[in-house]
Amino acid sequence: QVQLVESGGGLVQAGGSLRLSCAAVGRTFSIYAMGWFRQGPGKEREFVAAISWIGGSADYADSVKGRFTISRNNAKNTLFLQMNSLKPEDTAVYYCAAKTGAERPYDYWGQGTQVTVSS
């Protein structure tokens, strides 16, 4: 099992920045990749960004490319999401997730952290 705990959400004005963190504990050696997802008010959960745990290759949703950066600290088993130039439409609950294989779905999820961007 892998447990994930997010932190770093909050209220920010449009154009501002926030940095989310996600600490992984448990069987972290089994992690293949981690990602960030978000669910806005009245919307479906959507993919934001993902990173391979060993190689560090990253992928982003088009809506956040150039504004968000995903990174990880393997030694501390921590995932980050640096969010710059935030827009009101970025308002959502942000979840981190982990998967244990390339073809597997995301098996483990955090509880979520609220990000609110005011206009």
Side-chain angles (χ1 to χ4, degrees):
Q1 294 286 329
V2 176
Q3 294 80 43
L4 304 173
V5 179
E6 301 101 333
S7 60
L11 173 65
V12 64
Q13 289 188 329
S17 299
L18 279 176
R19 189 192 197 205
L20 304 183
S21 300
C22 175
V25 296
R27 296 171 61 89
T28 56
F29 60 85
S30 66
I31 295 174
Y32 173 82
M34 293 187 71
W36 289 98
F37 293 76
R38 66 186 182 187
Q39 187 166 17
K43 298 181 180 179
E44 297 288 322
R45 185 179 295 183
E46 64 176 359
F47 168 78
V48 175
I51 189 167
S52 63
W53 203 240
I54 302 301
S57 60
D59 188 26
Y60 296 90
D62 288 343
S63 59
V64 306
K65 279 182 182 176
R67 300 188 299 123
F68 291 11
T69 302
I70 189 171
S71 62
R72 86 270 189 251
N73 183 323
N74 295 61
K76 296 185 176 181
N77 294 316
T78 304
L79 178 73
F80 303 100
L81 185 67
Q82 178 66 43
M83 305 185 293
N84 299 328
S85 302
L86 282 161
K87 305 175 181 180
E89 50 264 43
D90 294 317
T91 294
V93 177
Y94 283 72
Y95 299 89
C96 71
K99 61 194 303 186
T100 56
E103 303 303 320
R104 291 191 59 83
Y106 282 89
D107 305 281
Y108 303 102
W109 293 83
Q111 81 287 352
T113 185
Q114 177 70 47
V115 172
T116 303
V117 185
S118 63
S119 56

